[in-house]
Amino acid sequence: MGLPSPARRALTPMWLLVRPVAGHVIQVCSSKVMHPRVQQLTGFELKPRHDQEFALYVRLLQWAWRNLPDRLLLQPLAYNRFQYEKLVGTLRSFGLDSFAVPEDRR
């Protein structure tokens, strides 16, 4: 990940605690959206509680998409493009076709 060795050593205990939870979330979400035949190949059996978990994860993601700032939600290039489009929209509201001096002021 490009972290220096001391930072990796400091973050390892926290990662060991977070990893099983993150893996379970990924497994439930990916199994829930798979085609049933592909899901059977994975060997992971979805139970009724997984439906509730998936519904919770979907709601959390919807909340995050609505409430978190774009800077956190978008990849850097996508965020830059988003900012560019906003700027273009703002500048088009002035109706400038060019930066030349208007004909009536020459």
Side-chain angles (χ1 to χ4, degrees):
M1 286 180 33
L3 293 174
S5 183
R8 273 195 308 253
R9 271 188 254 123
L11 293 173
T12 296
M14 183 179 65
W15 172 244
L16 293 175
L17 292 173
V18 170
R19 185 176 58 183
V21 174
H24 178 74
V25 169
I26 292 168
Q27 190 171 32
V28 168
C29 291
S30 61
S31 291
K32 193 71 176 145
V33 298
M34 283 182 191
H35 187 277
R37 288 185 190 163
V38 176
Q39 199 274 328
Q40 287 173 352
L41 294 173
T42 65
F44 181 73
E45 184 180 337
L46 287 171
K47 297 180 172 61
R49 70 179 168 90
H50 293 127
D51 293 335
Q52 296 168 350
E53 275 184 62
F54 184 71
L56 174 69
Y57 301 146
V58 167
R59 288 202 177 151
L60 285 173
L61 287 171
Q62 288 172 341
W63 176 88
W65 189 254
R66 280 192 305 270
N67 295 308
L68 292 178
D70 293 325
R71 186 81 177 164
L72 293 176
L73 297 173
L74 301 174
Q75 292 177 347
L77 285 175
Y79 179 73
N80 287 342
R81 182 65 184 193
F82 177 72
Q83 291 297 97
Y84 170 78
E85 294 294 336
K86 278 183 16 182
L87 181 62
V88 167
T90 301
L91 295 177
R92 283 203 177 130
S93 68
F94 292 108
L96 294 177
D97 293 327
S98 81
F99 290 100
V101 178
E103 292 289 327
D104 59 348
R105 291 193 193 172
R106 289 186 186 173

